[in-house]
Amino acid sequence: MRFTPQDEEFRVEVRAWLDANLTGPFACLRGAGGPGREHERFEERLAWNRHLAAAGWTCLGWPAEFGGRGAGLARQVIFHEEYARADAPARVTIVGEELLGPTLIAFGTPEQQRRFLPPIRAVTELWCQGYSEPGAGSDLANVATKAVLDGQNWVITGQKIWTSLAHVADWCFVLARTEPGSTRGRGLSYLLVPMRQPGVTVRPIRQLTGTSEFSEVFFDGARTDAAHVVGEPGDGWRVAKATLALERGAAMLGLQVGFRRELEDLLAVARRTQAGTDPLLRDKLARAWIGLEAVRAYALDTLGGDDPTEASVLKILWSRWHQGLGELAMEVLGAPSMAGSAPPGGRPPKTPPEGDDLDKWQRLYLFSRAETIYGGSDEIQRNIIAARALGLPRPA
Ligand SMILES: Cc1cc2nc3c(=O)[nH]c(=O)nc-3n(C[C@H](O)[C@H](O)[C@H](O)COP(=O)(O)OP(=O)(O)OC[C@H]3O[C@@H](n4cnc5c(N)ncnc54)[C@H](O)[C@@H]3O)c2cc1C
């Protein structure tokens, strides 16, 4: 990717804005909320996201008519590079901004676009993704949550699971079966459902990191307006797959661009400790650097395209690389990485460490285990590649 002189001017503008604004009440947010640390300073990060929105730094890639900047890939990369360089906090808006927003721009009615896009852009409504169920994870077409029309409302009954950020979300896009007796991808609809109503119960699930980034969500006669269906009723599978392609591809751009900063931070640790002189660790650090160059080159070459196979390849490349970084961080930090650090107050650290005792590297190491699962596991991505790119027949 080549950046034009105008792109570089844009970089200067982004850098100057971040330098001037990550100050005062926002200064303490530097570095907050990375992988496995979504609970950190959530309210302050929300305020920061609204501050970004007020200055036009959310939804950069959306067309201008929907409140975005119509920024191409180069400028989005620049924004994320500068965001990571400034150590700005992890954004809380990704599900709405990167998944639902582009889906509504592609498939939504003008009324849906008018109703739902401005609050996503302004960060006044947060979203979660209601796809997975206890019996429908990798096999997503097995969705059993039902919705029936009752006058002017859809009435939804069923259970979702592993729903990231459900505990803070105002709305959920729910894949539900709206044609009784239908099977697999047929008869599913993509519904927009308010979370704050009596028919919705959110139960947090405790994760490896000791915190709860995701929850179980129970719909028990929950309601949403009959007009809040994206695409035609019964055609939700097509819309859901488009959102999944975003999740495997462009939506993770910011995360991937942030990897360079994480690797640089780890290299800084290695330079000032014995790890930097250990021949094996030097070798692994060099391999990590090479691996990141390869991920970056593949991402820049393929993002913005619409080939789902490439999205699957990229998903495997970045998630494997990031898991490797977590493992390498544990090696660089050595034996102390196996124990928690003593929290303020004198309580002894726990072994194995949990919850508040974990530092950012331990959280990265533990949370990155999830990256080869969410958005479709590695095995599922390889099945897609085997069928589409290699032309192999599906197993009987
Ligand atoms: C941190 C995190 C956040 C998540 N956030 C969300 C969210 O916000 N919304 C949401 O809807 N979902 C979310 N998920 C769920 C995620 O999409 C599912 O976990 C994933 O699709 C796998 O489904 P499953 O957990 O039911 O595992 P299963 O489908 O039961 O799979 C179990 C194992 O079997 C393997 N397997 C299954 N089928 C095949 C096959 N055909 N061929 C080869 N191997 C196979 C899998 O690869 C896996 O190793 C999240 C998951 C995680 C870990």
Side-chain angles (χ1 to χ4, degrees), residues 43-312:
E43 288 303 323
E44 293 98 321
R45 280 165 52 221
L46 187 58
W48 163 251
N49 276 239
R50 289 180 178 151
H51 187 67
L52 282 171
W57 295 115
T58 50
C59 307
L60 261 60
W62 292 11
E65 60 182 298
F66 298 115
R69 290 188 180 222
L73 192 58
R75 296 213 177 173
Q76 293 180 53
V77 168
I78 287 174
F79 177 80
H80 291 303
E81 282 180 349
E82 290 304 314
Y83 198 84
R85 187 198 62 84
D87 213 11
R91 294 172 304 143
V92 299
T93 54
I94 291 174
V95 180
E97 185 174 339
E98 312 280 6
L99 299 185
L100 183 68
T103 305
L104 282 180
I105 289 169
F107 294 95
T109 61
E111 291 73 29
Q112 289 168 346
Q113 291 165 345
R114 269 195 298 275
R115 163 63 188 85
F116 292 109
L117 293 178
I120 294 175
R121 190 198 161 281
V123 198
T124 50
E125 285 179 351
L126 298 182
W127 284 82
C128 62
Q129 177 185 31
Y131 278 17
S132 305
E133 300 181 2
S138 303
D139 190 14
L140 185 58
N142 204 29
V143 157
T145 293
K146 292 188 175 60
V148 290
L149 262 183
D150 175 24
Q152 275 311 298
N153 284 294
W154 292 102
V155 180
I156 303 124
T157 308
Q159 183 196 347
K160 298 292 175 179
I161 195 167
W162 323 125
T163 317
S164 295
L165 302 176
H167 60 295
V168 290
D170 304 290
W171 287 82
C172 182
F173 50 95
V174 174
L175 195 56
R177 200 160 287 288
T178 48
E179 290 175 13
S182 63
T183 55
R184 312 302 300 161
R186 287 175 295 278
L188 296 172
S189 297
Y190 193 108
L191 302 176
L192 310 176
V193 181
M195 290 290 281
R196 300 180 202 281
Q197 56 167 313
V200 177
T201 306
V202 176
R203 278 197 212 143
I205 302 172
R206 193 168 182 274
Q207 289 165 252
L208 268 181
T209 44
T211 50
S212 299
E213 177 262 357
F214 57 34
S215 297
E216 292 176 289
V217 180
F218 298 86
F219 297 99
D220 187 12
R223 289 182 168 258
T224 197
D225 194 287
H228 291 167
V229 54
V230 185
E232 293 299 316
D235 196 26
W237 186 240
R238 196 167 60 96
V239 185
K241 281 198 297 189
T243 309
L244 267 184
L246 290 163
E247 190 175 359
R248 289 168 188 168
M252 296 300 151
L253 180 64
L255 182 75
Q256 292 164 46
V257 173
F259 290 169
R260 184 175 292 273
R261 164 107 204 178
E262 290 175 350
L263 179 59
E264 279 166 10
D265 285 354
L266 187 62
L267 287 169
V269 176
R271 284 189 201 104
R272 62 172 187 265
T273 60
Q274 280 186 339
T277 55
D278 180 305
L280 282 178
L281 287 180
R282 288 166 64 87
D283 183 276
K284 288 184 183 182
L285 286 162
R287 283 170 193 255
W289 184 83
I290 293 166
L292 186 55
E293 292 296 305
V295 174
R296 180 179 157 85
Y298 191 83
L300 295 182
D301 193 38
T302 58
L303 278 176
D306 55 6
D307 181 345
T309 313
E310 289 175 349
S312 292

